[in-house]
Amino acid sequence: MVGGGQLARMTHQAAIALGQSLRVLSAGPDESAALVAADVRIGAHDDLAALRDLADGATVVTFDHEHVPTEHLAALEAAGTRVAPGPRALVHAQDKLVLRRALAAAGEPQPAWAEVATAADVTRFAGEHGWPVVLKTPRGGYDGKGVFVVRDAGEAAGLLERHGTLLAEERVAMVRELSAQVARSPFGQVAVWPVVETVQRDGVCAEVVAPAPGLPDELATAAQELAVRIADSLGVVGMLAVELFQTADGVQVNELAMRPHNSGHWTIEGARTSQFEQHLRAVLDYPLGSTAMTASVVVMANVLGGAAAEPDWAGAPLDERMHHLMAHWPDVKVHWYGKTQRRGRKLGHVTALGDDLADVRARAGAAARYLADGVVDPAFAFETEH
Amino acid sequence: MVGGGQLARMTHQAAIALGQSLRVLSAGPDESAALVAADVRIGAHDDLAALRDLADGATVVTFDHEHVPTEHLAALEAAGTRVAPGPRALVHAQDKLVLRRALAAAGEPQPAWAEVATAADVTRFAGEHGWPVVLKTPRGGYDGKGVFVVRDAGEAAGLLERHGTLLAEERVAMVRELSAQVARSPFGQVAVWPVVETVQRDGVCAEVVAPAPGLPDELATAAQELAVRIADSLGVVGMLAVELFQTADGVQVNELAMRPHNSGHWTIEGARTSQFEQHLRAVLDYPLGSTAMTASVVVMANVLGGAAAEPDWAGAPLDERMHHLMAHWPDVKVHWYGKTQRRGRKLGHVTALGDDLADVRARAGAAARYLADGVVDPAFAFETEH
């Protein structure tokens, strides 16, 4: 797996059960996955020699992020390495303009968009779809980076000068964000999980609720079918997350990830087969596992670095917060990624399961906030267990 | 963790979620845990220098087997290393005579027993309790090794000559075997799982059914209380498995394991907190996690090396068997230990979950047999999924 982050870390966990050991190409020895995997190569994801070394003797090469240059993947394939997803599929998760064009050609629902090179292009687009306009760098963005909401031509001009050609999108009047995950094997077998709601804060995923509360069955099915159509038509092998805007009329595709995705962390405990195991099954061309949920409501909350990540933090240290979390919520599952704490960084996540949406959501949220910063939610301050 | 077997392998998986990385002392680089852990020291469990190297900088030293010499553990403790369970507790899992004496002193239920040094001692014991007599080597036995059923003084004499002083036990008229698992923290917090039935074949655990079918509540509670009393009185820190004989009158203690145990593999998917995570929580002095079951019936079946482990095996290779298993039983969970296949060796296990005992048991058993040897159970031959 190219990339040594938490996705590789959790994929390694899943690989262990399948009798496999994940080889990781990690930027450094202290990355999340490099800390726990047996076979770690230190190197850059854009260094062809490092990629060749990773591929040597491996069954298949896969990814924990989208940043490997297409030409390097083509070079690996030319040398006989199996790459999953392949570069022709992956480019749709790497380049938002390529994705928009492909979805337009296939007639799939998406926001109004245009390729813009000048402020006049943006003004023309705004004339049709209104200000503000969302401008996105076609490549390299993640967690809200590379996404800009501009209110006038002047703001647009500054961004275009800095970034070159951009993707312009209408600002969608959305109800909420959803994610539909599907796994697809080389053989073409697909497996879908229930569609989930993803809650973003400051452009970063904060919480995922499975299944998406109150989502009408026909819309859930439509979203799953959309994800399967995209996976099939692009020839995706492995996990595909289709990030969706839910609008008054249905759903529109926001963007794609072709790898395990933050919107699927809930599946570790919440589904019979986790997205990490399923990704491995798919890229190894094994039959896919059951995606049945193990509880009626599952909520995952990210632990994002906050005040406790600052050097002058005077509150309870992480180990003490971990103790208190475990004492308060003996059935909340913790996943800690072993990273250096830094503000806004995804440091870990917690998962709560149960039958009552409000209760499960409150527990997950309170546990994550407590682990991040020792902030005690008054509703839980005097509880000793749940 | 001292020992690089499958217990260390699965403990490492659990450690990853807690933000930890297990350091493993493994006899060789191809042991189950050595294949997947980031920090592997190659060395023998009875080499004090290797143990000191393992302990250097570690939070705590713990075990995946019982074979570390007591004096070495005492030496580690004397040097300031935290050892869990400590040598004074662990000796009760290492030495069956020590255990029998301690249980007798505490008045806990166990088979009639005696320390025997001569054939006359055995004959005297048989005079009271009848032939056959079960003779056990006090130390070093596992998976049925070191256990002998003798029918007369002559057989006994031969064993005593070879092994020296032995433990004699009456052959218990048992209904079945049970296992009661408890975790205990240094602080004295305990957590118990439902009591399970363990099914042995040729002295090796073949199957574990959770909860033990038809076990009366009061007997289940008594077995859990017995396990907690033993853990408390011996000062166990970490996991304790109390292997029990169920008799017409109640339960009797067979032996103890102070580590994650084969009878608890079902907890990975079947309980909110697995025995592996719980062992880590306990030895790290974290609060213990919920032991609630995630399904009403959970069955674990071991995959034991059989015909397919022979060099001349002409059937489907492992990878093909794995494919078919996953296609037939998309909701059966596979755990493969990465070991060389050998007859009788524990190569992996499978876990099935559900509501119907007969169905869950049949699926787990058929999947395990299929994975071991490609033997298709007629009841499943034409099924495509469950």
Side-chain angles (χ1 to χ4, degrees):
Chain A
M1 184 170 265
V2 181
Q6 65 265 25
L7 301 176
R9 183 181 173 105
M10 292 184 274
T11 303
H12 179 56
Q13 264 187 303
I16 293 172
L18 298 181
Q20 308 277 340
S21 184
L22 195 70
R23 180 185 296 166
V24 173
L25 178 61
S26 176
D30 295 328
E31 303 264 308
S32 287
L35 295 170
V36 300
D39 188 357
V40 179
R41 314 286 166 106
I42 304 299
H45 62 262
D46 54 3
D47 173 355
L48 183 56
L51 292 167
R52 286 195 201 277
D53 173 61
L54 177 78
D56 183 35
T59 313
V60 58
V61 170
T62 187
F63 314 96
D64 102 328
H65 60 63
E66 281 89 17
H67 307 315
V68 181
T70 302
E71 63 272 23
H72 288 1
L73 299 179
L76 291 183
E77 282 197 332
T81 298
R82 212 152 68 68
V83 174
R88 281 165 302 282
L90 190 62
V91 68
H92 298 86
Q94 295 177 309
D95 189 312
K96 295 186 174 77
L97 274 168
V98 172
L99 173 65
R100 288 289 173 237
R101 283 183 210 120
L103 292 175
E108 298 294 5
Q110 60 178 334
W113 66 280
E115 186 173 345
V116 292
T118 65
D121 291 343
V122 180
T123 303
R124 197 174 313 116
F125 183 81
E128 240 180 292
H129 303 286
W131 296 101
V133 168
V134 181
L135 292 183
K136 296 180 175 177
T137 55
R139 282 180 175 257
Y142 69 98
D143 282 352
K145 290 172 187 66
V147 177
F148 314 94
V149 179
V150 296
R151 279 162 192 80
D152 56 46
E155 280 188 68
L159 284 167
L160 287 161
E161 195 171 326
R162 247 177 297 144
H163 297 285
T165 298
L166 294 172
L167 166 65
E169 290 180 7
E170 66 173 328
R171 195 177 197 186
V172 174
M174 65 172 170
V175 179
R176 59 179 170 177
E177 293 188 57
L178 303 173
S179 173
Q181 282 194 299
V182 56
R184 185 174 178 278
S185 76
F187 182 71
Q189 189 194 5
V190 292
V192 292
W193 286 261
V195 174
V196 300
E197 177 175 351
T198 62
V199 181
Q200 321 286 324
R201 283 189 204 111
D202 304 325
V204 178
C205 174
E207 191 188 48
V208 172
V209 183
L215 187 67
D217 282 351
E218 64 274 19
L219 198 51
T221 304
Q224 290 176 321
E225 288 174 345
L226 171 62
V228 169
R229 272 200 311 276
I230 293 173
D232 267 340
S233 64
L234 301 182
V236 175
V237 170
M239 286 295 306
L240 169 70
V242 181
E243 295 185 48
L244 296 163
F245 299 126
Q246 185 183 351
T247 65
D249 305 323
V251 295
Q252 298 187 348
V253 176
N254 178 13
E255 59 184 72
L256 308 184
M258 289 183 199
R259 49 168 171 79
H261 185 250
N262 201 165
S263 67
H265 292 356
W266 68 273
T267 59
I268 296 175
E269 295 90 5
R272 189 55 67 220
T273 306
S274 78
Q275 64 165 346
F276 301 102
E277 178 182 340
Q278 201 79 299
H279 186 72
L280 289 167
R281 286 187 183 222
V283 303
L284 292 168
D285 201 8
Y286 280 122
L288 303 179
S290 163
T291 55
M293 289 185 70
T294 62
S296 47
V297 178
V298 184
V299 176
M300 186 287 318
N302 278 334
V303 180
L304 300 171
E310 302 295 329
D312 61 349
W313 167 252
L318 172 64
D319 193 61
E320 193 179 320
R321 300 198 301 278
M322 191 80 87
H323 268 253
H324 285 299
L325 180 148
M326 289 182 176
H328 265 275
W329 296 283
D331 63 348
V332 165
K333 304 315 295 179
V334 176
H335 295 264
W336 195 254
Y337 306 150
K339 293 176 175 178
T340 313
Q341 298 186 60
R342 209 161 60 209
R343 212 173 246 286
R345 202 172 195 202
K346 288 177 183 169
L347 301 174
H349 75 265
V350 300
T351 303
L353 303 93
D355 295 316
D356 181 78
L357 174 61
D359 169 65
V360 174
R361 199 164 183 171
R363 285 192 290 130
R369 279 195 301 279
Y370 185 75
L371 197 51
D373 275 336
V375 175
V376 177
D377 186 318
F380 289 97
F382 301 101
E383 303 270 354
T384 54
E385 67 168 74
H386 271 271
Chain B
M1 183 169 267
V2 181
Q6 66 264 26
L7 301 176
R9 182 180 173 105
M10 292 184 275
T11 303
H12 178 56
Q13 265 186 303
I16 292 172
L18 298 180
Q20 309 276 338
S21 184
L22 195 70
R23 180 185 296 167
V24 172
L25 178 60
S26 177
D30 295 327
E31 303 264 308
S32 288
L35 295 171
V36 299
D39 189 356
V40 179
R41 313 286 167 106
I42 305 299
H45 63 263
D46 55 3
D47 173 355
L48 183 56
L51 292 167
R52 284 195 201 279
D53 173 61
L54 178 78
D56 183 35
T59 312
V60 58
V61 170
T62 186
F63 314 96
D64 102 329
H65 60 64
E66 281 89 18
H67 308 315
V68 181
T70 302
E71 62 272 23
H72 288 0
L73 298 180
L76 290 183
E77 282 196 332
T81 297
R82 211 152 69 67
V83 174
R88 281 164 302 282
L90 190 62
V91 68
H92 298 86
Q94 294 177 310
D95 189 312
K96 294 186 173 76
L97 275 168
V98 172
L99 172 65
R100 289 289 173 236
R101 285 182 209 118
L103 292 175
E108 298 294 6
Q110 60 179 335
W113 66 280
E115 186 173 345
V116 292
T118 65
D121 290 343
V122 180
T123 302
R124 196 175 315 116
F125 183 81
E128 240 180 291
H129 303 286
W131 296 101
V133 168
V134 181
L135 293 183
K136 297 181 175 176
T137 55
R139 282 180 176 256
Y142 69 98
D143 282 353
K145 291 172 186 65
V147 177
F148 313 94
V149 179
V150 296
R151 279 163 191 80
D152 56 45
E155 280 187 67
L159 284 167
L160 287 161
E161 195 171 323
R162 248 178 296 144
H163 296 286
T165 298
L166 294 172
L167 166 65
E169 291 181 9
E170 65 173 328
R171 196 177 195 186
V172 175
M174 66 171 169
V175 180
R176 58 179 171 178
E177 293 187 58
L178 303 173
S179 174
Q181 282 194 298
V182 56
R184 185 174 178 277
S185 76
F187 183 71
Q189 189 193 4
V190 291
V192 292
W193 286 261
V195 174
V196 300
E197 176 175 351
T198 62
V199 180
Q200 321 286 325
R201 284 189 203 112
D202 304 325
V204 178
C205 174
E207 192 188 48
V208 173
V209 183
L215 187 67
D217 281 352
E218 65 274 18
L219 198 51
T221 304
Q224 289 176 321
E225 288 175 346
L226 171 62
V228 169
R229 274 200 310 276
I230 292 174
D232 266 340
S233 64
L234 300 182
V236 175
V237 171
M239 286 295 306
L240 170 70
V242 181
E243 295 185 47
L244 296 163
F245 298 127
Q246 185 183 348
T247 66
D249 306 325
V251 294
Q252 298 185 350
V253 177
N254 177 13
E255 58 184 74
L256 308 184
M258 289 184 198
R259 50 169 170 79
H261 185 251
N262 201 166
S263 67
H265 291 358
W266 68 273
T267 59
I268 296 175
E269 294 89 6
R272 190 55 66 220
T273 306
S274 78
Q275 65 165 345
F276 301 102
E277 178 182 340
Q278 201 80 298
H279 186 72
L280 288 167
R281 287 186 183 223
V283 303
L284 292 168
D285 201 7
Y286 280 122
L288 303 179
S290 163
T291 55
M293 289 185 70
T294 63
S296 48
V297 178
V298 184
V299 176
M300 187 286 319
N302 279 333
V303 180
L304 300 171
E310 302 295 329
D312 60 348
W313 166 251
L318 172 64
D319 193 61
E320 193 178 322
R321 299 199 300 278
M322 190 80 87
H323 268 253
H324 286 300
L325 180 147
M326 289 183 177
H328 265 276
W329 297 282
D331 63 348
V332 164
K333 304 315 293 179
V334 177
H335 295 264
W336 195 253
Y337 307 151
K339 293 176 175 178
T340 312
Q341 298 186 59
R342 210 162 58 209
R343 213 174 245 286
R345 201 172 196 202
K346 287 178 183 169
L347 300 175
H349 75 265
V350 300
T351 304
L353 304 94
D355 295 316
D356 181 77
L357 174 61
D359 168 67
V360 174
R361 200 164 183 171
R363 283 191 291 131
R369 279 194 302 280
Y370 185 75
L371 197 52
D373 274 337
V375 174
V376 177
D377 186 318
F380 288 97
F382 302 100
E383 303 269 354
T384 54
E385 66 167 77
H386 270 271

